[in-house]
Amino acid sequence: MSILEVRDIHKSFGGNRVLKGVSFSVKEGEIVGIVGPNGSGKTTLMNIINGVIRQDKGSILLMGKDISSLRPSGRAKLGMGRTFQITRLFSNLTVLENVLIPLHYGSPLPATEETAIEIIEAVGLSHKIRDRAGSLSLAQRKRLELARAIALKPKVLLLDEVFAGLNPVSIREIVELLLKLNREKGITLILVEHVLKALFKLTRRVLVLSEGRLIFEGSPEGMVKDPEVIKAYLGERYLKDESA
Ligand SMILES: Nc1ncnc2c1ncn2[C@@H]1O[C@H](COP(=O)(O)OP(=O)(O)OP(=O)(O)O)[C@@H](O)[C@H]1O
Ligand SMILES: [Mg+2]
C-alpha cells in the first residue's frame, strides 16, 4: 500500500504556474529522490506535501487518508516529518533545547533529556549538546535540523537538499544515517537533491521535475541516459562532473 499519494497537484504564484499536475505515490519503507533544475518547483512541492502552502488543485493522501486540509502540525502528528532547505533552528537555544522542543510539542516519544540525547547521538552531535545552535557549522546545523525532524517520530520524512554545502565526509555520514533510519526505523524517505552521487547511494527510484511537470520516473541508471532529462537538467554540467 502507498504511504503517500500525491494527486494532480497544481500551484501558481500570481501568473507563474509552478506545478502543473504532479502525481506520484510512494510505498511504505521506500526511498525516493526528486531532482530537477533550479526553480522547477521541488521545494514548492515539498511545501504542499507537508502543508506549509496550499495547492490550487489536487490532493495529498497519507496512509490512504486525505490530509489536504490539515496544517503542518496536524500532518506532523500523523507522521509527516520535514527538513528545510534553509534550516529553521532556534539560534539562541542549545542543541539539546532545539531537540527538546519538538519532543515536547507534538511528538509521541517521551519528552525527556534522555530521548533528546539519544537522537542527538544518532545524528553525531553529542559533542555539541550544550552549544548554541547559532554557533554550529552548516553541516552541524543540518544534522540538528535532521534531529528535530526525527524527534517527531515521522513515518515519512521529506528532506530538502540535506547534502547541499556539505563536504564529502559529512555527506557520507549523513547517507549512512539516513540508510539506518530507513532500515532500522522503517522511515520512508523522500529527498529533494542536487547532489546526485549521494542520492544514488540511497535510492533506486528517482522522479525528475521540470517546469512543474514530472518528465521522468525510474532508476538512476535510466535517468542519466534519458534524453529529455539530459536536455532539461543534467546537460553538460553532469557529464563534466562525472568525468572529473
Ligand atoms: N512563495 C512564493 N511566492 C512566489 N513565487 C514563489 C514562491 N515560492 C516559490 N516561488 C517560485 O516558484 C518557482 C519554483 O520555486 P521552488 O523553490 O519550488 O523551486 P526549486 O525546484 O525548489 O528550486 P531550487 O533547486 O533552486 O531549490 C520559482 O519560480 C520561484 O520563484
Ligand atoms: Mg528548492
Side-chain angles (χ1 to χ4, degrees), residues 13-28:
F13 294 109
N16 184 7
R17 288 179 67 209
V18 173
L19 296 171
K20 304 168 184 166
V22 174
S23 302
F24 65 94
S25 62
V26 178
K27 289 201 198 78
E28 190 168 2

Side-chain angles (χ1 to χ4, degrees), residues 137-196:
S137 70
L138 173 68
Q140 291 162 345
R141 288 206 302 277
K142 293 212 155 176
R143 286 170 194 262
L144 182 53
E145 176 89 353
L146 199 53
R148 286 169 50 78
I150 297 167
L152 291 172
K153 200 167 188 282
K155 294 187 176 74
V156 178
L157 182 54
L158 311 173
L159 302 145
D160 198 353
E161 300 207 19
V162 71
F163 300 121
L166 301 189
N167 66 35
V169 175
S170 298
I171 289 178
R172 259 201 307 278
E173 284 174 7
I174 292 186
V175 164
E176 287 308 315
L177 170 63
L178 292 176
L179 282 173
K180 211 166 142 195
L181 288 173
N182 177 254
R183 284 191 200 127
E184 292 176 11
K185 302 209 191 287
I187 302 177
T188 304
L189 301 175
I190 301 172
L191 296 104
V192 162
E193 200 48 67
H194 285 295
V195 184
L196 298 183

